[in-house]
Amino acid sequence: MPVQHHYEAYITRTNGPLVLVRIRDLTELRRAEELRADFVANASHELRTPLAAVTGFIDTLRGHAKDDGPARERFLEIMSVEAGRMRRLIEDLLSLTRIELNEHNPPAGEVDVASVVRDAAAVLAPLADEDRISIQIDPCESLKVVGDRDELTQVFQNLIHNAIKYGRSGGEVRIRFGRAEAPSKREGGGQVLVSVQDEGEGIPREAIPRLTERFYRVDVKRSRERGGTGLGLAIVKHILNRHKGRLQIESVPGEGSTFTVSLPAVQTTAEPSV
Ligand code: ADP
């Protein structure tokens, strides 16, 4: 497929017989501008839909539903759901912007990932109960990483929330911990691994590489019904970039999905003396 490139050329005459040509490749810059413009267009579109619903119901409530008590209750309920959707979208957009601005500033704190995961799961327990999903967390001692506790909490809340949203009602969400040792001491303390596995419908193979794009959803209607914004995994990706971590996604359609986070572990043993 042809790829468009953008260049800027400055041509300067020198005193002698030569001409000075300076060429700047603007392709990356243009691409970033296009991505930003697309993002603003998408965000506006996402907000416009619930806003149109709320405005429409205000008109209806002022008009023919004015004296219809049951209809009024129904419409107010829908308006409240739509307002909730706008609130979640704005919160996610603000989170994403804040994280992006901070992305090149590495975190400094020391965090026990196992306790972050347990806290994130506890917050989501009522939602899991609604779908009769049981969250099983494998036992684990402390697993220390260098990180920002609030941001890592958001990573695991988003992943566990997705496992509930797209999991099997009446099924299980299982969280496992592990470690991958570094090939040598020089390369740090290895990696801490946390995987979140659900028994949901799974993800088509071709969609997997796109899941962390902003607003990408396999099934927009289903995501909306489940209160999704399409930004959760984009937020996860940016937080993990800041933490020099990674996200790996595996899925078997019809059987479920596993999202595995790896984060650099805190080096526990002292550097060997030379
Ligand atoms: P959303 O708010 O739509 O859930 P996310 O960025 O968190 O947005 O996820 C993007 C999309 O990835 C979802 O809309 C869904 O299609 C898919 N997805 C995420 N997690 C899972 C999962 N555990 N099982 C199946 N599909 C998932």
Side-chain angles (χ1 to χ4, degrees):
M1 216 171 73
V3 181
Q4 207 173 16
H5 284 263
H6 297 270
Y7 296 98
E8 195 175 56
Y10 295 94
I11 305 175
T12 325
R13 200 195 291 269
T14 61
N15 286 335
L18 299 176
V19 169
L20 192 68
V21 182
R22 194 157 61 94
I23 297 175
R24 244 179 100 199
D25 186 348
L26 297 179
T27 313
E28 275 304 309
L29 199 70
R30 283 282 158 82
R31 210 180 113 67
E33 279 166 8
E34 276 165 25
L35 281 179
R36 192 163 309 132
D38 279 357
F39 177 55
V40 172
N42 279 332
S44 315
H45 175 77
E46 294 289 332
L47 280 168
R48 200 176 287 138
T49 319
L51 188 61
V54 171
T55 319
F57 283 119
I58 291 175
D59 289 343
T60 315
L61 287 171
R62 281 191 175 139
H64 67 264
K66 203 165 163 182
D67 303 312
D68 180 346
R72 204 168 53 217
E73 281 312 307
R74 215 170 54 245
F75 294 156
L76 283 172
E77 177 56 31
I78 301 174
M79 286 165 75
S80 147
V81 169
E82 296 298 328
R85 213 167 106 194
M86 286 192 276
R87 183 178 46 72
R88 279 195 304 280
L89 248 164
I90 292 167
E91 279 169 6
D92 279 358
L93 285 169
L94 288 175
S95 276
L96 198 55
T97 311
R98 208 178 41 236
I99 295 157
E100 265 189 320
L101 284 176
N102 217 3
E103 199 168 317
H104 300 290
N105 175 16
E110 225 174 76
V111 181
D112 171 18
V113 182
S115 98
V116 167
V117 168
R118 282 192 289 268
D119 290 352
V123 169
L124 292 162
L127 287 180
D129 287 346
E130 274 175 30
D131 283 336
R132 293 178 296 108
I133 288 180
S134 87
I135 304 180
Q136 301 292 332
I137 306 180
D138 281 4
C140 178
E141 312 250 302
S142 101
L143 275 179
K144 291 267 173 65
V145 300
V146 177
D148 174 310
R149 190 176 177 100
D150 289 345
E151 287 192 357
L152 292 179
T153 301
Q154 199 168 4
V155 164
F156 294 108
Q157 275 186 358
N158 288 1
L159 294 180
I160 299 170
H161 194 183
N162 279 352
I164 298 170
K165 284 194 296 202
Y166 307 108
R168 182 170 62 83
S169 167
E172 205 175 75
V173 169
R174 181 166 282 278
I175 301 170
R176 295 186 173 86
F177 301 97
R179 262 181 191 280
E181 295 307 328
S184 74
K185 277 270 177 291
R186 273 178 184 284
E187 285 161 69
Q191 302 281 314
V192 163
L193 308 174
V194 183
S195 66
V196 180
Q197 181 178 22
D198 65 60
E199 298 175 338
E201 72 247 54
I203 304 159
R205 178 196 272 272
E206 65 281 5
I208 291 182
R210 300 200 57 192
L211 292 190
T212 55
E213 285 174 23
R214 295 150 187 214
F215 296 119
Y216 179 83
R217 283 155 288 188
V218 176
D219 179 342
V220 175
K221 186 161 169 277
R222 179 148 161 76
S223 156
R224 290 223 172 106
E225 278 166 7
R226 304 295 278 155
T229 59
L231 293 175
L233 290 179
I235 291 175
V236 167
K237 183 181 80 176
H238 284 283
I239 295 178
L240 292 181
N241 283 348
R242 179 173 180 232
H243 285 74
K244 303 218 177 327
R246 284 189 55 206
L247 177 69
Q248 192 191 347
I249 307 171
E250 289 158 303
S251 183
V252 180
E255 286 183 23
S257 313
T258 306
F259 287 70
T260 304
V261 168
S262 53
L263 287 162
V266 168
Q267 205 160 5
T268 43
T269 46
E271 281 286 326
S273 51
V274 189

